[in-house]
Amino acid sequence: MPESHERMALTEAVFYILLTLKKPLHGYGIMQKVSEMSGDSVQLGSGTLYGAINTLLNKGWIKIHRQEGTSRKKKEYIITDEGLHIAHQELRRLQHLTTLGEDILGGKDND
Amino acid sequence: MTKIAFRFFIDYEKEEKWLNEMESKGFHFLRYCFFFYIFERGNPNTYTYGIELLEDMSHHKNYDYLNFLKDTDIEHVASWARWVYLRKRKEYGPLNLFTDLSSKYSHFKRIFTFQVCLLPIMIASFIKLLDLTWHEGDFFYVAVSVLYTIFLIFFTSNTIRTHYKIKHIKENMQIHE
């Protein structure tokens, strides 16, 4: 497992955003995709999403893909290589947790 | 047709609730200025209203944020200092601004700081008012002092409530996201 400078769990919102941005999307598209992917169980609030996007841009995990026109500032975002790396790392962390959870709570040897 | 209402709110969540109640009676909120609310007649259950205290003082960043909200179907209706009044058409879904604990936490923290910064100014003017009342002693000053005292009690208790809301969210953040 490649060790990164950060070994902290991502928030659910951030993990979802990184997943949706494998393809370029603008803010509204991210919200729709997240609710679609989660079967309507995760609804990202506009303020929460705006804050998360700015943090991810600052960290360089996502970048601006395209900006439409000048009058209407509709920006499209896409995941960066570093963002992909982080998402993979999170995936492994989650996999480890689910395996562990299944082993212990899964009922094979409940005592 | 417009309607003007005079109201005074210390708690923004109560204000938000009231705006939505007015909306359900067919009054769409349009403008705010010094305790006066201007409404326009419209179809009830068209909009959901929300209120937010903006993070930045910078116009550029606020413009960027409000533009972002517009792209997510949230319309900026009115402003008052750093407070913004927002609305979203009900057909586009619920008006969600903050959906996780950490963004809720920072919003309440912002409100708390805002309230705490106002307190010294209010206490200073309260002392000045009491001083005036003591020396002038007429009915007008006494009446104003009484009203101001009531206001100050409500304002302070609201600030304390905000503090407890923050504390509650913080506790939740230790176990939930």
Side-chain angles (χ1 to χ4, degrees):
Chain A
M1 199 187 278
E3 274 304 313
S4 155
H5 31 281
E6 278 175 273
R7 278 291 293 126
M8 279 162 83
L10 300 183
T11 65
E12 194 179 38
V14 164
F15 192 56
Y16 266 112
I17 294 169
L18 291 179
L19 291 185
T20 54
L21 289 181
K22 276 202 85 177
K23 281 184 191 141
L25 281 174
H26 47 75
Y28 187 63
I30 298 175
M31 284 166 81
Q32 284 180 317
K33 194 79 199 267
V34 167
S35 94
E36 183 195 313
M37 284 195 318
S38 69
D40 287 341
S41 73
V42 180
Q43 305 286 341
L44 279 186
S46 303
T48 303
L49 177 62
Y50 182 80
I53 287 177
N54 282 327
T55 310
L56 293 177
L57 282 172
N58 284 338
K59 280 189 167 285
W61 295 359
I62 65 172
K63 64 182 180 194
I64 291 170
H65 176 71
R66 199 158 62 100
Q67 192 162 344
E68 266 172 44
T70 45
S71 58
R72 227 167 147 228
K73 293 193 169 173
K74 218 172 195 177
K75 294 169 194 159
E76 276 193 336
Y77 308 93
I78 194 160
I79 196 165
T80 60
D81 288 339
E82 196 184 349
L84 265 178
H85 172 72
I86 299 282
H88 277 290
Q89 202 172 273
E90 177 69 3
L91 178 63
R92 277 192 295 274
R93 192 188 69 85
L94 291 172
Q95 277 168 342
H96 176 71
L97 275 182
T98 50
T99 318
L100 196 68
E102 273 164 17
D103 284 353
I104 296 174
L105 302 171
K108 260 179 271 170
D109 42 27
N110 275 345
D111 50 330
Chain B
M1 201 184 95
T2 55
K3 179 191 165 73
I4 298 173
F6 180 80
R7 275 286 189 297
F8 181 56
F9 287 100
I10 292 175
D11 184 340
Y12 91 96
E13 286 174 304
K14 287 196 181 125
E15 184 180 7
E16 205 173 69
K17 210 177 141 218
W18 178 69
L19 291 179
N20 283 307
E21 276 164 17
M22 291 298 282
E23 202 280 340
S24 65
K25 290 179 199 156
F27 298 108
H28 297 173
F29 169 67
L30 277 184
R31 287 280 169 278
Y32 174 83
C33 187
F34 276 112
F35 318 126
F36 285 98
Y37 294 79
I38 301 171
F39 297 89
E40 185 187 43
R41 263 266 180 221
N43 290 328
N45 296 314
T46 312
Y47 295 106
T48 313
Y49 283 89
I51 302 173
E52 185 186 338
L53 182 66
L54 293 180
E55 193 176 351
D56 277 290
M57 295 296 277
S58 129
H59 280 283
H60 172 73
K61 278 188 183 161
N62 287 338
Y63 178 75
D64 188 60
Y65 177 57
L66 294 174
N67 256 315
F68 182 86
L69 290 186
K70 202 167 150 195
D71 287 339
T72 62
D73 299 325
I74 297 173
E75 191 187 334
H76 172 216
V77 185
S79 303
W80 185 253
R82 263 163 69 205
W83 293 95
V84 282
Y85 295 86
L86 308 162
R87 73 178 179 191
K88 183 173 174 174
R89 291 190 81 91
K90 281 191 195 283
E91 62 199 86
Y92 297 146
L95 173 64
N96 288 329
L97 286 172
F98 304 112
T99 45
D100 65 1
L101 287 173
S102 72
S103 57
K104 276 179 193 154
Y105 173 82
S106 24
H107 187 224
F108 277 117
K109 191 93 190 171
R110 225 140 67 208
I111 293 170
F112 184 69
T113 312
F114 179 79
Q115 290 166 340
V116 166
C117 289
L118 282 178
L119 263 180
I121 305 167
M122 288 199 218
I123 291 167
S125 46
F126 182 63
I127 293 168
K128 181 74 196 159
L129 185 65
L130 284 186
D131 186 50
L132 272 171
T133 313
W134 183 256
H135 286 100
E136 302 288 327
D138 68 12
F139 178 73
F140 175 74
Y141 281 107
V142 175
V144 172
S145 300
V146 170
L147 284 177
Y148 201 86
T149 309
I150 297 169
F151 163 72
L152 208 59
I153 291 169
F154 276 107
F155 188 86
T156 312
S157 71
N158 186 52
T159 309
I160 295 166
R161 261 206 309 278
T162 312
H163 168 76
Y164 279 106
K165 272 179 201 159
I166 294 171
K167 210 178 141 203
H168 180 72
I169 297 175
K170 220 172 167 181
E171 274 165 9
N172 264 321
M173 279 167 83
Q174 290 181 330
I175 38 173
H176 296 292
E177 225 175 59

